[in-house]
């Protein structure tokens, strides 16, 4: 359908008749009455108004839906390896490696060339530097991933910034210039994108404040809209951190509230939900909550919250690991896929794990290439464990050597 480009008019002349408006709507466009056209300001700014379903207004519609379904399909999840250079530096420091471009590349090469990874992983999120990097032999990472059957993805936000007049709450940056960056990422082979919005719960100060929720969900919707226009499936990530001593009901309440704002915003910005993926936190109590809960309680609260908040049009919910231990992340995913309560869901209960797939592998490798094969085999086993859990079929011992240890880290701005 052709886009109609209306011209600016002064308020006093916007007198389209009801008949002309309804006639033009019947053709899917809006047009002012002829009297308005006579009073057009010559140098008017233009805007594009497109009424019509996504399939007729977005040239990438079919590809976007195909990509989203491909990533969310049964038995496959996402490897989140999009840590910024600064966060990657902190991870490398854990194993006494210097934060150089070469070390970042070596680390990502180990991950992406792990044999059989594509049997369990359907999408991989990269940081901008990584998207344009190649293996030591000069093969582009996007080609390595595509050969594994893994869709290349890109983190497009540029990090967090403090939200003034709130207590340690944040907004996510990166909307400026985003359409141009998305076009470059698509040209380089990226087919999906990620934007991380971060909110925290504070029992004393009432966080997340309405300001934080409104700002973060608005930015998620704008990002998702821009991504879809550029042919990238947006992963919408409204993360509520585990920082704090709040109980599980409090997390359930705020997760549901944030989801409600998120989908309201996505709808307002005409984001097509069948061509997008969600990446929320599971519903856990705060890391310092004195009352411990079972994996089954986490799964039940998570299912209840997602069933209330997420429209069935979405192909998949890809949970972040958020600091849960490797074993916890797998066990909870397994329950989401086996408990009766979750069976009515139209979307897949899936994973997009960073720490729960990487930390044990990094510790094993620690920069020593003699350990590379062993570290790659561990990554594939961890991916397989979560793939099995995604199908409700995980059993036996968890492959992670430090499986029960939490990977929690406090709120970081980069
Ligand atoms: P974690 O699984 O480590 O939480 O990371 C996932 C992610 O992409 C956070 O933005």
């Amino acid at each position: 359908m052709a886009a109609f480009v209306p011209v600016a008019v002064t308020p006093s002349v916007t007198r389209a008749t009801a008949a002309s408006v309804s006639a033009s709507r019947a053709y899917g466009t809006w047009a002012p009455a002829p009297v308005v056209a006579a009073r057009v300001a010559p140098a008017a700014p233009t805007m594009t108004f497109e009424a019509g379903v996504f399939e007729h207004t977005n040239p990438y519609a079919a590809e976007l839906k195909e990509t989203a379904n491909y990533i969310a399909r049964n038995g496959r999840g996402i490897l989140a390896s999009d840590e910024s250079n600064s966060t990657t530096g902190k991870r490398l420091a854990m194993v006494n490696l210097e934060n150089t471009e070469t070390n970042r590349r070596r680390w990502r090469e180990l991950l992406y060339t792990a044999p059989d990874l594509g049997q369990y992983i359907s999408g991989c999120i990269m940081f901008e530097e990584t998207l344009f990097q190649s293996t030591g032999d000069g093969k582009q990472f996007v080609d390595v991933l595509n050969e594994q059957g893994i869709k290349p993805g890109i983190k497009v936000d540029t990090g967090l910034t403090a939200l003034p007049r709130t207590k340690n709450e944040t907004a996510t940056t990166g909307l400026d210039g985003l359409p141009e960056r998305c076009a470059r990422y698509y040209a380089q082979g990226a087919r999906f994108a990620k934007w991380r919005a971060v909110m925290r719960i504070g029992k004393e100060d009432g966080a997340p404040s309405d300001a934080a929720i409104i700002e973060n969900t608005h930015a998620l919707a704008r990002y998702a809209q821009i991504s879809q226009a550029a042919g990238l499936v947006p992963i919408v990530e409204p993360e509520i951190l585990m920082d704090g001593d709040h109980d599980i009901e409090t997390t359930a309440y705020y997760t549901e509230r944030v989801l409600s704002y998120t989908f309201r915003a996505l709808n307002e910005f005409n984001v097509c939900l069948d061509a997008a993926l969600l990446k929320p936190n599971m519903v856990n109590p705060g890391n310092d909550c004195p009352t411990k809960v079972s994996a089954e309680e986490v799964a039940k609260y998570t299912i209840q919250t997602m069933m209330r908040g997420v429209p069935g049009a979405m192909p998949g919910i890809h949970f972040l690991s958020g600091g849960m231990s490797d074993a916890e992340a797998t066990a909870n995913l397994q329950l989401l896929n086996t408990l009766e309560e979750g069976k009515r869901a139209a979307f897949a209960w899936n994973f997009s794990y960073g720490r729960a797939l990487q930390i044990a592998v990094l510790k094993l490798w620690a920069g020593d290439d003699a350990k590379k094969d062993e570290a790659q085999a561990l990554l594939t086993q961890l991916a397989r464990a979560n793939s099995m859990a995604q199908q409700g079929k995980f059993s036996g011992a968890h492959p992670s050597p430090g499986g029960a240890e939490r990977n929690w880290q406090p709120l970081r701005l980069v």
Side-chain angles (χ1 to χ4, degrees), residues 50 54 57-61 63-64 178-180 182-183 186 193 221-234 269-272 275:
E50 289 176 332
F54 185 71
T57 56
N58 185 315
Y60 298 101
E63 185 190 357
L64 286 164
L178 187 56
E180 295 76 20
C182 283
Y186 185 93
R222 280 285 290 129
Y223 135 78
Q225 181 193 47
I226 292 167
S227 297
Q228 287 190 336
L232 301 175
V233 170
F269 284 84
N270 297 315
V271 174
C272 176

Side-chain angles (χ1 to χ4, degrees), residues 386-408:
N386 289 300
S387 154
M388 296 304 282
Q390 198 281 320
Q391 300 167 80
K393 294 181 192 160
F394 176 73
S395 63
H398 197 275
S400 174
E405 266 169 55
R406 280 220 152 156
N407 295 315
W408 183 74

Side-chain angles (χ1 to χ4, degrees), residues 174-309:
L175 288 175
D176 285 352
L178 187 56
E180 295 76 20
R181 284 197 289 126
C182 283
R184 247 185 342 112
Y185 301 150
Y186 185 93
Q188 174 63 12
R191 288 296 175 268
F192 72 103
K194 171 191 131 170
W195 178 286
R196 177 172 178 251
V198 182
M199 280 152 280
R200 66 171 183 85
I201 294 174
K203 274 198 316 200
E204 277 74 41
D205 56 25
S209 63
D210 286 350
I213 296 176
I214 291 167
E215 162 57 26
N216 277 291
T217 54
H218 164 266
L220 277 171
R222 280 285 290 129
Y223 135 78
Q225 181 193 47
I226 292 167
S227 297
Q228 287 190 336
L232 301 175
V233 170
I235 297 191
V236 175
E237 181 177 3
E239 173 173 8
I240 299 184
L241 297 170
M242 266 209 276
D243 303 47
D245 60 359
H246 51 275
D247 61 19
I248 192 166
E249 286 217 357
T250 306
T251 313
Y253 171 77
Y254 281 112
T255 305
E256 193 177 321
R257 183 168 166 77
V258 166
L259 286 176
S260 150
Y261 273 79
T262 301
F263 285 99
R264 165 83 189 271
L266 292 172
N267 289 336
E268 292 291 353
F269 284 84
N270 297 315
V271 174
C272 176
L273 299 182
D274 337 18
L277 299 167
L278 185 72
K279 177 163 174 163
N281 50 286
M282 288 189 195
V283 177
N284 273 291
N287 201 45
D288 299 322
C289 177
T291 314
K292 300 299 165 203
V293 296
S294 65
E296 190 154 317
E297 274 175 279
V298 172
K300 283 192 171 165
Y301 273 106
T302 303
I303 291 170
Q304 174 176 286
T305 306
M306 298 300 143
M307 297 292 279
R308 287 178 182 172

Side-chain angles (χ1 to χ4, degrees), residues 80 82 194 196 237 239 279 320-323 352-356:
D82 57 308
K194 171 191 131 170
R196 177 172 178 251
E237 181 177 3
E239 173 173 8
K279 177 163 174 163
L320 52 93
S321 61
S352 174
Y353 292 161
R355 281 164 281 178

Side-chain angles (χ1 to χ4, degrees), residues 65 67-74 76-78 233-236 263 273-280 306 310-319 345-352 390:
K65 288 196 276 183
T67 302
N69 283 302
Y70 181 90
I71 293 172
R73 77 194 195 279
N74 211 22
R76 304 282 202 288
I78 297 173
V233 170
I235 297 191
V236 175
F263 285 99
L273 299 182
D274 337 18
L277 299 167
L278 185 72
K279 177 163 174 163
M306 298 300 143
V310 183
M314 282 224 131
I317 302 186
H318 291 257
F319 293 94
F347 40 75
W349 302 102
N350 212 319
F351 66 95
S352 174
Q390 198 281 320

